[in-house]
């Protein structure tokens, strides 16, 4: 597991590295490798050469660029394969950070225990992921199904919309993709043209579902009551763990 750390303050960088190194010692099965950067632009240059890390721990306020911009840049380069933990002395960027679906947001000063909890959560989420290869033209994309916001069938093509804002066009039919999602909780068919992730529904309206990215997905009349029921049952299950 490749972990990168970026903070423009030397003391903070050394402190984070120490915690992650101790975490690696406790979890030798993860084979954690650590790289540290003072400069976020050096980090991006390194990713161009070696590829995206599994986990990135980023300060938000750095000279010349915000950590939120670094997240967007990494995702533009490498999709959704990286998990992000933000480290900051200010809570001002929390809303923007979670809009990016980062994994955690630690406000300085934080304890070793708090950092360890964040790492545990990210590692466990990575273990539970279900990634599948999706063909797009001459390319193959490894897609984490839980990063899918919704899928739309349109004009004989299928479009996969990810939480990061990325769009993947594929010739794989919606019927075949439905089979991939059959055992993944929180995904439902909406009519003949959509598969949606209930986690990404911002509101259930009279005739549509409003997604987090502002897309309104039409709900056929015959399905409206059933989809409302599925939505509420899913969130009750998520909240209660039952």
């Amino acid at each position: 597991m490749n972990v990168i750390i970026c903070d423009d303050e030397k003391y903070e960088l050394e402190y984070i590295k120490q915690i992650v190194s101790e975490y690696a010692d406790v979890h030798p099965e993860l084979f954690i490798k650590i790289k540290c950067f003072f400069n976020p632009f050096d980090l991006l240059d390194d990713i161009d050469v070696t590829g995206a890390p599994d986990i990135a721990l980023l300060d938000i306020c750095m000279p010349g660029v915000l950590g939120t911009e670094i997240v967007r840049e990494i995702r533009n380069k490498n999709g959704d394969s990286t998990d992000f933990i933000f480290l900051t002395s200010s809570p001002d960027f929390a809303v923007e950070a979670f809009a990016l679906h980062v994994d955690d947001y630690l406000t300085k000063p934080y304890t070793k225990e708090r950092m360890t909890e964040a790492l545990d959560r990210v590692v466990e989420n990575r273990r539970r992921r279900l990634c599948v290869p999706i063909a797009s033209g001459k390319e193959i994309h490894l897609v984490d199904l839980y990063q899918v916001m919704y899928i739309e069938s349109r004009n004989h093509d299928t479009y996969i919309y990810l939480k990061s804002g990325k769009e993947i066009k594929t010739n794989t039919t919606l019927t075949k993709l439905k089979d991939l999602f059959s055992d993944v909780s929180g995904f439902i068919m909406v009519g003949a043209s959509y598969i949606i992730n209930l986690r990404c529904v911002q509101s259930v309206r009279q005739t549509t579902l409003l997604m987090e990215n502002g897309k309104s997905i039409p709900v056929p009349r015959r399905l409206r009551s059933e989809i409302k029921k599925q939505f509420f049952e899913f969130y009750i299950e998520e909240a209660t763990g039952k």
Side-chain angles (χ1 to χ4, degrees):
M1 184 172 288
N2 295 310
V3 178
I4 61 170
I5 305 166
C6 188
D7 197 303
D8 62 308
E9 295 185 14
K10 184 176 181 180
Y11 169 79
E12 291 288 346
L13 190 65
E14 291 298 327
Y15 177 60
I16 302 163
K17 181 181 178 182
Q18 179 182 345
I19 294 175
V20 178
S21 296
E22 291 174 3
Y23 187 88
D25 291 340
V26 174
H27 297 279
E29 76 281 3
L30 299 178
F31 299 97
I32 292 175
K33 296 180 180 179
I34 305 168
K35 283 186 178 181
C36 296
F37 298 89
F38 288 112
N39 187 320
F41 298 105
D42 290 342
L43 179 156
L44 293 175
D45 289 342
D46 184 78
I47 287 174
D48 284 338
V49 176
T50 64
D54 297 298
I55 301 173
L57 296 93
L58 304 175
D59 186 14
I60 289 187
C61 299
M62 294 181 283
V65 67
L66 291 174
T68 50
E69 296 175 52
I70 296 298
V71 170
R72 292 188 181 94
E73 188 68 23
I74 292 174
R75 285 178 172 165
N76 286 338
K77 291 173 181 288
N78 297 283
D80 296 279
S81 62
T82 301
D83 288 291
F84 297 94
I85 298 173
F86 275 144
L87 316 166
T88 179
S89 55
S90 170
D92 294 345
F93 298 93
V95 173
E96 183 180 359
F98 285 107
L100 289 170
H101 298 282
V102 301
D103 296 86
D104 215 328
Y105 186 99
L106 277 62
T107 303
K108 302 174 184 178
Y110 48 81
T111 63
K112 174 184 175 181
E113 289 72 24
R114 179 72 179 87
M115 172 68 80
T116 299
E117 288 173 3
L119 290 169
D120 281 341
R121 192 178 303 110
V122 169
V123 169
E124 182 58 28
N125 286 341
R126 293 186 70 85
R127 283 174 172 155
R128 290 188 309 199
R129 280 184 187 158
L130 180 57
C131 293
V132 295
I134 300 291
S136 178
K138 295 181 179 180
E139 298 180 350
I140 300 292
H141 296 265
L142 191 62
V143 176
D144 174 2
L145 298 189
Y146 284 108
Q147 294 300 316
V148 173
M149 182 178 294
Y150 64 91
I151 304 171
E152 180 182 7
S153 177
R154 187 173 75 245
N155 299 329
H156 305 293
D157 287 310
T158 305
Y159 298 83
I160 301 172
Y161 295 89
L162 303 180
K163 292 179 181 179
S164 64
K166 185 176 181 179
E167 172 188 325
I168 299 173
K169 179 181 177 181
T170 176
N171 291 325
T172 306
T173 65
L174 201 68
T175 301
K176 288 184 178 180
L177 289 173
K178 179 184 175 183
D179 292 338
L180 289 177
F181 285 89
S182 60
D183 294 324
V184 185
S185 69
F187 288 87
I188 63 171
M189 286 286 297
V190 178
S193 299
Y194 294 93
I195 298 171
I196 66 152
N197 183 348
L198 289 170
R199 300 167 187 83
C200 299
V201 175
Q202 185 170 319
S203 65
V204 179
R205 299 184 171 181
Q206 187 173 357
T207 61
T208 62
L209 298 175
L210 180 64
M211 306 304 292
E212 287 182 357
N213 66 349
K215 169 77 172 182
S216 289
I217 293 179
V219 180
R221 182 185 297 273
R222 71 183 188 281
L223 298 176
R224 290 170 190 169
S225 295
E226 177 59 27
I227 285 178
K228 285 181 181 179
K229 179 183 175 184
Q230 288 179 290
F231 177 79
F232 286 113
E233 286 180 349
F234 171 74
Y235 272 97
I236 290 171
E237 182 180 327
E238 288 283 292
T240 62
K242 297 179 181 180

